[in-house]
Short mmCIF file of all heavy atoms in Angstrom, two decimals:
data_model
loop_
_atom_site.label_atom_id
_atom_site.label_comp_id
_atom_site.label_asym_id
_atom_site.label_seq_id
_atom_site.Cartn_x
_atom_site.Cartn_y
_atom_site.Cartn_z
N ASN W 957 -7.81 14.23 -1.36
CA ASN W 957 -9.32 14.35 -1.54
C ASN W 957 -10.01 13.12 -1.98
O ASN W 957 -11.17 13.14 -2.22
CB ASN W 957 -9.54 15.50 -2.67
CG ASN W 957 -9.03 16.82 -2.22
OD1 ASN W 957 -9.22 17.23 -1.08
ND2 ASN W 957 -8.28 17.52 -3.08
N HIS W 958 -9.21 11.99 -2.09
CA HIS W 958 -9.93 10.78 -2.54
C HIS W 958 -9.42 9.62 -1.62
O HIS W 958 -8.27 9.19 -1.73
CB HIS W 958 -9.57 10.54 -3.95
CG HIS W 958 -10.08 11.45 -4.94
ND1 HIS W 958 -9.39 12.60 -5.22
CD2 HIS W 958 -11.26 11.47 -5.64
CE1 HIS W 958 -10.15 13.33 -6.10
NE2 HIS W 958 -11.23 12.67 -6.38
N GLN W 959 -10.29 9.16 -0.80
CA GLN W 959 -9.95 7.96 0.08
C GLN W 959 -10.05 6.64 -0.56
O GLN W 959 -9.83 5.69 0.08
CB GLN W 959 -10.89 8.07 1.36
CG GLN W 959 -10.78 9.40 2.11
CD GLN W 959 -9.46 9.70 2.65
OE1 GLN W 959 -8.84 8.99 3.38
NE2 GLN W 959 -8.83 10.81 2.25
N GLN W 960 -10.59 6.66 -1.82
CA GLN W 960 -10.84 5.37 -2.43
C GLN W 960 -9.61 4.63 -2.86
O GLN W 960 -9.60 3.49 -3.26
CB GLN W 960 -11.77 5.52 -3.68
CG GLN W 960 -13.05 6.27 -3.50
CD GLN W 960 -12.90 7.75 -3.78
OE1 GLN W 960 -11.79 8.37 -3.50
NE2 GLN W 960 -13.95 8.38 -4.34
N ILE W 961 -8.44 5.36 -2.90
CA ILE W 961 -7.18 4.70 -3.37
C ILE W 961 -6.41 4.25 -2.10
O ILE W 961 -6.25 5.11 -1.16
CB ILE W 961 -6.30 5.71 -4.12
CG1 ILE W 961 -7.15 6.16 -5.40
CG2 ILE W 961 -5.07 5.06 -4.57
CD1 ILE W 961 -7.17 5.29 -6.54
N ASP W 962 -5.93 3.03 -2.08
CA ASP W 962 -5.21 2.54 -0.86
C ASP W 962 -3.73 2.63 -1.07
O ASP W 962 -2.98 2.82 -0.04
CB ASP W 962 -5.50 1.04 -0.68
CG ASP W 962 -6.95 0.88 -0.28
OD1 ASP W 962 -7.53 1.82 0.30
OD2 ASP W 962 -7.56 -0.23 -0.52
N ARG W 963 -3.23 2.59 -2.29
CA ARG W 963 -1.77 2.48 -2.51
C ARG W 963 -1.39 3.04 -3.90
O ARG W 963 -1.98 2.59 -4.86
CB ARG W 963 -1.44 0.96 -2.44
CG ARG W 963 -0.11 0.61 -1.91
CD ARG W 963 0.10 -0.87 -1.77
NE ARG W 963 1.49 -1.18 -1.77
CZ ARG W 963 2.02 -2.27 -2.34
NH1 ARG W 963 1.18 -3.17 -2.89
NH2 ARG W 963 3.23 -2.42 -2.39
N VAL W 964 -0.42 3.92 -3.90
CA VAL W 964 0.09 4.40 -5.18
C VAL W 964 1.58 4.19 -5.24
O VAL W 964 2.33 4.60 -4.31
CB VAL W 964 -0.18 5.88 -5.48
CG1 VAL W 964 0.43 6.32 -6.70
CG2 VAL W 964 -1.69 6.16 -5.48
N ILE W 965 2.06 3.41 -6.22
CA ILE W 965 3.50 3.12 -6.28
C ILE W 965 4.08 3.89 -7.46
O ILE W 965 3.55 3.93 -8.57
CB ILE W 965 3.73 1.61 -6.54
CG1 ILE W 965 3.24 0.80 -5.36
CG2 ILE W 965 5.19 1.32 -6.85
CD1 ILE W 965 3.24 -0.69 -5.59
N CYS W 966 5.26 4.58 -7.20
CA CYS W 966 5.99 5.21 -8.34
C CYS W 966 7.10 4.20 -8.56
O CYS W 966 8.00 3.98 -7.78
CB CYS W 966 6.55 6.48 -7.88
SG CYS W 966 5.32 7.77 -7.55
N CYS W 967 7.00 3.54 -9.72
CA CYS W 967 7.86 2.46 -10.05
C CYS W 967 9.00 2.98 -11.03
O CYS W 967 8.83 3.26 -12.16
CB CYS W 967 7.05 1.37 -10.82
SG CYS W 967 8.15 -0.03 -11.27
N CYS W 968 10.12 3.10 -10.37
CA CYS W 968 11.26 3.65 -11.15
C CYS W 968 12.05 2.53 -11.84
O CYS W 968 12.23 1.46 -11.15
CB CYS W 968 12.24 4.44 -10.21
SG CYS W 968 11.41 5.83 -9.37
N PHE W 969 12.46 2.70 -12.98
CA PHE W 969 13.17 1.64 -13.72
C PHE W 969 14.65 2.02 -13.74
O PHE W 969 15.47 1.03 -13.80
CB PHE W 969 12.61 1.62 -15.18
CG PHE W 969 12.97 0.32 -15.89
CD1 PHE W 969 12.48 -0.93 -15.44
CD2 PHE W 969 13.68 0.39 -17.10
CE1 PHE W 969 12.75 -1.99 -16.22
CE2 PHE W 969 13.94 -0.77 -17.83
CZ PHE W 969 13.49 -2.03 -17.39
N ASP W 970 14.97 3.23 -13.73
CA ASP W 970 16.44 3.58 -13.80
C ASP W 970 16.93 4.22 -12.47
O ASP W 970 16.07 4.82 -11.79
CB ASP W 970 16.69 4.49 -14.98
CG ASP W 970 15.81 5.78 -14.96
OD1 ASP W 970 14.70 5.71 -15.46
OD2 ASP W 970 16.23 6.78 -14.29
N GLU W 971 18.15 4.12 -12.25
CA GLU W 971 18.72 4.67 -10.98
C GLU W 971 18.50 6.21 -10.81
O GLU W 971 18.17 6.67 -9.71
CB GLU W 971 20.25 4.41 -10.88
CG GLU W 971 20.66 3.00 -10.50
CD GLU W 971 20.09 2.66 -9.07
OE1 GLU W 971 20.03 3.58 -8.13
OE2 GLU W 971 19.71 1.43 -8.83
N GLU W 972 18.61 6.88 -11.93
CA GLU W 972 18.49 8.33 -11.90
C GLU W 972 17.14 8.75 -11.32
O GLU W 972 17.00 9.54 -10.36
CB GLU W 972 18.78 8.99 -13.30
CG GLU W 972 18.97 10.50 -13.24
CD GLU W 972 18.96 11.14 -14.58
OE1 GLU W 972 19.00 10.36 -15.64
OE2 GLU W 972 18.92 12.32 -14.72
N ASN W 973 16.11 8.12 -11.93
CA ASN W 973 14.68 8.49 -11.45
C ASN W 973 14.53 8.08 -10.00
O ASN W 973 14.00 8.85 -9.20
CB ASN W 973 13.66 7.72 -12.35
CG ASN W 973 13.16 8.74 -13.41
OD1 ASN W 973 12.85 9.84 -13.09
ND2 ASN W 973 13.05 8.25 -14.64
N LEU W 974 15.11 6.92 -9.65
CA LEU W 974 14.94 6.44 -8.28
C LEU W 974 15.57 7.46 -7.34
O LEU W 974 14.92 7.82 -6.33
CB LEU W 974 15.63 5.03 -8.12
CG LEU W 974 15.51 4.39 -6.70
CD1 LEU W 974 14.09 4.01 -6.40
CD2 LEU W 974 16.49 3.24 -6.59
N LYS W 975 16.75 7.89 -7.63
CA LYS W 975 17.48 8.87 -6.75
C LYS W 975 16.62 10.19 -6.58
O LYS W 975 16.42 10.66 -5.50
CB LYS W 975 18.79 9.18 -7.36
CG LYS W 975 19.73 9.88 -6.33
CD LYS W 975 21.24 9.80 -6.91
CE LYS W 975 22.12 10.76 -6.13
NZ LYS W 975 21.60 12.18 -6.24
N ILE W 976 16.08 10.63 -7.70
CA ILE W 976 15.35 11.87 -7.71
C ILE W 976 14.03 11.65 -6.87
O ILE W 976 13.67 12.53 -6.01
CB ILE W 976 14.92 12.30 -9.11
CG1 ILE W 976 16.13 12.74 -9.89
CG2 ILE W 976 13.86 13.44 -9.14
CD1 ILE W 976 15.99 12.78 -11.47
N TYR W 977 13.36 10.59 -7.12
CA TYR W 977 12.08 10.33 -6.29
C TYR W 977 12.37 10.17 -4.82
O TYR W 977 11.65 10.70 -4.00
CB TYR W 977 11.39 9.08 -6.89
CG TYR W 977 10.45 9.37 -8.02
CD1 TYR W 977 10.89 9.61 -9.28
CD2 TYR W 977 9.08 9.47 -7.81
CE1 TYR W 977 10.03 9.94 -10.33
CE2 TYR W 977 8.20 9.79 -8.85
CZ TYR W 977 8.66 10.00 -10.14
OH TYR W 977 7.79 10.32 -11.13
N ARG W 978 13.43 9.48 -4.57
CA ARG W 978 13.83 9.23 -3.08
C ARG W 978 14.09 10.54 -2.42
O ARG W 978 13.62 10.88 -1.32
CB ARG W 978 15.02 8.34 -2.90
CG ARG W 978 14.68 6.83 -3.19
CD ARG W 978 14.82 5.99 -2.02
NE ARG W 978 14.05 4.74 -2.13
CZ ARG W 978 14.62 3.58 -2.64
NH1 ARG W 978 15.89 3.62 -3.01
NH2 ARG W 978 13.90 2.52 -2.83
N GLU W 979 14.85 11.41 -3.13
CA GLU W 979 15.24 12.74 -2.63
C GLU W 979 14.01 13.60 -2.36
O GLU W 979 13.81 14.19 -1.32
CB GLU W 979 16.14 13.37 -3.65
CG GLU W 979 16.64 14.79 -3.29
CD GLU W 979 17.94 14.81 -2.57
OE1 GLU W 979 18.51 13.70 -2.35
OE2 GLU W 979 18.29 15.88 -2.10
N LEU W 980 13.14 13.55 -3.38
CA LEU W 980 11.91 14.28 -3.21
C LEU W 980 11.06 13.83 -2.06
O LEU W 980 10.56 14.57 -1.22
CB LEU W 980 11.11 14.12 -4.57
CG LEU W 980 10.11 15.19 -4.93
CD1 LEU W 980 10.73 16.53 -5.08
CD2 LEU W 980 9.38 14.76 -6.21
N TYR W 981 11.03 12.50 -1.91
CA TYR W 981 10.22 11.87 -0.78
C TYR W 981 10.85 12.28 0.52
O TYR W 981 10.14 12.68 1.47
CB TYR W 981 10.18 10.46 -0.98
CG TYR W 981 9.20 9.78 0.08
CD1 TYR W 981 7.90 9.70 -0.17
CD2 TYR W 981 9.77 9.18 1.20
CE1 TYR W 981 7.01 9.10 0.82
CE2 TYR W 981 8.97 8.63 2.12
CZ TYR W 981 7.63 8.58 1.94
OH TYR W 981 6.81 7.99 2.85
N ASP W 982 12.16 12.18 0.66
CA ASP W 982 12.83 12.42 1.96
C ASP W 982 12.88 13.84 2.31
O ASP W 982 12.74 14.26 3.46
CB ASP W 982 14.25 11.80 1.93
CG ASP W 982 14.20 10.30 1.88
OD1 ASP W 982 13.12 9.78 2.13
OD2 ASP W 982 15.19 9.67 1.48
N LYS W 983 13.23 14.72 1.34
CA LYS W 983 13.51 16.11 1.69
C LYS W 983 12.37 17.10 1.18
O LYS W 983 12.34 18.26 1.62
CB LYS W 983 14.87 16.51 1.11
CG LYS W 983 16.00 15.71 1.63
CD LYS W 983 17.31 16.49 1.70
CE LYS W 983 18.36 15.72 2.33
NZ LYS W 983 18.80 14.50 1.63
N GLY W 984 11.64 16.67 0.24
CA GLY W 984 10.67 17.62 -0.40
C GLY W 984 9.45 17.74 0.40
O GLY W 984 9.16 16.98 1.30
N ILE W 985 8.78 18.89 0.11
CA ILE W 985 7.47 19.01 0.60
C ILE W 985 6.51 19.15 -0.62
O ILE W 985 6.90 19.53 -1.68
CB ILE W 985 7.26 20.33 1.50
CG1 ILE W 985 7.55 21.53 0.70
CG2 ILE W 985 8.10 20.18 2.75
CD1 ILE W 985 6.99 22.77 1.33
N VAL W 986 5.28 18.81 -0.34
CA VAL W 986 4.26 19.07 -1.37
C VAL W 986 3.26 19.93 -0.69
O VAL W 986 2.61 19.49 0.35
CB VAL W 986 3.63 17.77 -1.84
CG1 VAL W 986 2.55 18.03 -2.90
CG2 VAL W 986 4.71 16.88 -2.55
N ALA W 987 2.97 21.13 -1.22
CA ALA W 987 1.98 22.00 -0.64
C ALA W 987 0.68 21.87 -1.41
O ALA W 987 0.69 22.13 -2.64
CB ALA W 987 2.41 23.45 -0.73
N VAL W 988 -0.28 21.26 -0.82
CA VAL W 988 -1.54 20.96 -1.54
C VAL W 988 -2.64 21.93 -1.22
O VAL W 988 -3.01 22.06 -0.03
CB VAL W 988 -2.00 19.48 -1.18
CG1 VAL W 988 -3.26 19.10 -1.97
CG2 VAL W 988 -0.82 18.51 -1.57
N ARG W 989 -3.19 22.55 -2.21
CA ARG W 989 -4.24 23.58 -1.97
C ARG W 989 -5.53 22.89 -1.34
O ARG W 989 -5.91 21.79 -1.73
CB ARG W 989 -4.64 24.16 -3.34
CG ARG W 989 -5.71 25.28 -3.30
CD ARG W 989 -5.10 26.61 -3.15
NE ARG W 989 -6.12 27.71 -3.11
CZ ARG W 989 -6.53 28.39 -4.19
NH1 ARG W 989 -6.01 28.15 -5.41
NH2 ARG W 989 -7.47 29.28 -4.04
N VAL W 990 -6.02 23.54 -0.41
CA VAL W 990 -7.18 23.01 0.38
C VAL W 990 -8.55 23.59 -0.27
O VAL W 990 -8.73 24.75 -0.31
CB VAL W 990 -7.14 23.54 1.90
CG1 VAL W 990 -8.44 23.10 2.62
CG2 VAL W 990 -5.88 22.85 2.58
N PHE W 991 -9.32 22.52 -0.68
CA PHE W 991 -10.61 22.89 -1.31
C PHE W 991 -11.75 22.09 -0.66
O PHE W 991 -12.71 22.59 -0.21
CB PHE W 991 -10.66 22.62 -2.80
CG PHE W 991 -9.83 23.60 -3.65
CD1 PHE W 991 -8.77 23.22 -4.36
CD2 PHE W 991 -10.27 24.93 -3.70
CE1 PHE W 991 -8.10 24.08 -5.16
CE2 PHE W 991 -9.54 25.84 -4.52
CZ PHE W 991 -8.48 25.44 -5.22
N SER W 992 -11.53 20.77 -0.70
CA SER W 992 -12.65 19.86 -0.37
C SER W 992 -12.93 19.88 1.21
O SER W 992 -12.08 20.26 1.96
CB SER W 992 -12.23 18.41 -0.75
OG SER W 992 -11.27 17.97 0.25
N PRO W 993 -14.18 19.56 1.54
CA PRO W 993 -14.51 19.49 3.00
C PRO W 993 -13.56 18.57 3.80
O PRO W 993 -13.17 18.89 4.85
CB PRO W 993 -15.90 18.87 2.96
CG PRO W 993 -16.43 19.17 1.63
CD PRO W 993 -15.32 19.25 0.70
N LEU W 994 -13.06 17.50 3.14
CA LEU W 994 -12.12 16.59 3.77
C LEU W 994 -10.84 17.28 4.10
O LEU W 994 -10.28 17.26 5.16
CB LEU W 994 -11.93 15.39 2.88
CG LEU W 994 -11.04 14.25 3.41
CD1 LEU W 994 -11.84 13.55 4.57
CD2 LEU W 994 -10.75 13.23 2.34
N ALA W 995 -10.39 18.07 3.09
CA ALA W 995 -9.09 18.79 3.20
C ALA W 995 -9.22 19.95 4.26
O ALA W 995 -8.31 20.14 5.05
CB ALA W 995 -8.63 19.39 1.91
N ILE W 996 -10.42 20.49 4.30
CA ILE W 996 -10.59 21.64 5.32
C ILE W 996 -10.69 20.99 6.74
O ILE W 996 -10.11 21.47 7.67
CB ILE W 996 -12.00 22.34 5.06
CG1 ILE W 996 -11.81 23.10 3.73
CG2 ILE W 996 -12.35 23.20 6.21
CD1 ILE W 996 -13.11 23.85 3.34
N GLU W 997 -11.18 19.77 6.85
CA GLU W 997 -11.30 19.09 8.08
C GLU W 997 -9.85 18.70 8.54
O GLU W 997 -9.48 18.90 9.75
CB GLU W 997 -12.12 17.80 7.97
CG GLU W 997 -12.71 17.27 9.28
CD GLU W 997 -13.46 15.95 8.98
OE1 GLU W 997 -14.12 15.93 8.02
OE2 GLU W 997 -13.23 15.04 9.74
N THR W 998 -9.05 18.21 7.59
CA THR W 998 -7.67 17.84 7.94
C THR W 998 -6.88 19.09 8.38
O THR W 998 -6.20 18.99 9.42
CB THR W 998 -6.95 17.32 6.63
OG1 THR W 998 -7.65 16.21 6.13
CG2 THR W 998 -5.53 16.88 6.91
N THR W 999 -7.13 20.19 7.79
CA THR W 999 -6.47 21.53 8.17
C THR W 999 -6.89 21.84 9.57
O THR W 999 -6.08 22.26 10.36
CB THR W 999 -6.83 22.60 7.13
OG1 THR W 999 -6.51 22.11 5.86
CG2 THR W 999 -5.97 23.89 7.41
N SER W 1000 -8.16 21.76 9.83
CA SER W 1000 -8.66 22.21 11.11
C SER W 1000 -8.05 21.35 12.25
O SER W 1000 -7.70 21.82 13.33
CB SER W 1000 -10.18 22.16 11.17
OG SER W 1000 -10.69 22.65 12.38
N LYS W 1001 -7.99 20.04 11.93
CA LYS W 1001 -7.34 19.08 12.93
C LYS W 1001 -5.94 19.42 13.17
O LYS W 1001 -5.44 19.46 14.30
CB LYS W 1001 -7.49 17.69 12.49
CG LYS W 1001 -8.90 17.03 12.66
CD LYS W 1001 -8.91 15.57 12.49
CE LYS W 1001 -10.33 14.94 12.49
NZ LYS W 1001 -10.59 14.20 11.28
N LEU W 1002 -5.29 19.76 12.11
CA LEU W 1002 -3.80 20.09 12.19
C LEU W 1002 -3.71 21.36 13.02
O LEU W 1002 -2.78 21.49 13.91
CB LEU W 1002 -3.28 20.48 10.74
CG LEU W 1002 -2.39 19.44 10.04
CD1 LEU W 1002 -1.98 19.95 8.68
CD2 LEU W 1002 -1.21 19.07 10.81
N ALA W 1003 -4.57 22.35 12.78
CA ALA W 1003 -4.49 23.61 13.56
C ALA W 1003 -4.66 23.33 15.03
O ALA W 1003 -3.94 23.90 15.83
CB ALA W 1003 -5.60 24.58 13.01
N GLU W 1004 -5.66 22.53 15.36
CA GLU W 1004 -6.00 22.25 16.72
C GLU W 1004 -4.73 21.72 17.40
O GLU W 1004 -4.30 22.11 18.49
CB GLU W 1004 -7.13 21.18 16.78
CG GLU W 1004 -7.42 20.66 18.20
CD GLU W 1004 -8.83 20.95 18.60
OE1 GLU W 1004 -9.69 20.91 17.69
OE2 GLU W 1004 -9.04 21.24 19.76
N LYS W 1005 -4.10 20.73 16.71
CA LYS W 1005 -2.94 20.12 17.32
C LYS W 1005 -1.70 21.05 17.43
O LYS W 1005 -1.11 21.24 18.53
CB LYS W 1005 -2.51 18.97 16.39
CG LYS W 1005 -1.07 18.39 16.59
CD LYS W 1005 -0.80 17.21 15.51
CE LYS W 1005 0.67 16.94 15.39
NZ LYS W 1005 1.28 16.23 16.56
N ILE W 1006 -1.52 21.86 16.36
CA ILE W 1006 -0.36 22.77 16.40
C ILE W 1006 -0.57 23.92 17.39
O ILE W 1006 0.36 24.28 18.18
CB ILE W 1006 -0.08 23.33 14.97
CG1 ILE W 1006 0.35 22.15 14.02
CG2 ILE W 1006 0.86 24.46 14.97
CD1 ILE W 1006 0.47 22.52 12.56
N TRP W 1007 -1.76 24.44 17.44
CA TRP W 1007 -1.99 25.61 18.28
C TRP W 1007 -1.90 25.22 19.67
O TRP W 1007 -1.28 25.99 20.50
CB TRP W 1007 -3.38 26.24 17.96
CG TRP W 1007 -3.36 27.07 16.70
CD1 TRP W 1007 -2.92 26.65 15.49
CD2 TRP W 1007 -3.87 28.38 16.63
NE1 TRP W 1007 -3.10 27.73 14.61
CE2 TRP W 1007 -3.69 28.73 15.26
CE3 TRP W 1007 -4.51 29.28 17.49
CZ2 TRP W 1007 -4.08 30.02 14.74
CZ3 TRP W 1007 -4.84 30.57 17.04
CH2 TRP W 1007 -4.65 30.92 15.69
N HIS W 1008 -2.41 24.02 20.10
CA HIS W 1008 -2.28 23.57 21.51
C HIS W 1008 -0.79 23.36 21.89
O HIS W 1008 -0.33 23.70 22.92
CB HIS W 1008 -3.14 22.38 21.74
CG HIS W 1008 -4.56 22.74 22.05
ND1 HIS W 1008 -5.50 22.86 20.93
CD2 HIS W 1008 -5.26 23.09 23.09
CE1 HIS W 1008 -6.66 23.28 21.42
NE2 HIS W 1008 -6.59 23.38 22.76
#
Side-chain angles (χ1 to χ4, degrees):
N957 297 314
H958 297 84
Q959 303 298 304
Q960 307 93 324
I961 302 281
D962 294 334
R963 214 173 153 217
V964 176
I965 295 172
C966 294
C967 180
C968 301
F969 196 62
D970 56 271
E971 278 303 324
E972 190 188 353
N973 262 315
L974 180 68
K975 194 166 167 301
I976 292 165
Y977 271 76
R978 284 247 161 93
E979 178 89 4
L980 202 60
Y981 184 82
D982 291 342
K983 299 210 173 67
I985 62 160
V986 178
V988 179
R989 184 92 181 263
V990 173
F991 284 116
S992 72
L994 185 67
I996 291 175
E997 202 182 318
T998 304
T999 308
S1000 183
K1001 282 195 188 123
L1002 258 179
E1004 173 119 35
K1005 169 182 161 68
I1006 292 170
W1007 282 51
H1008 279 87

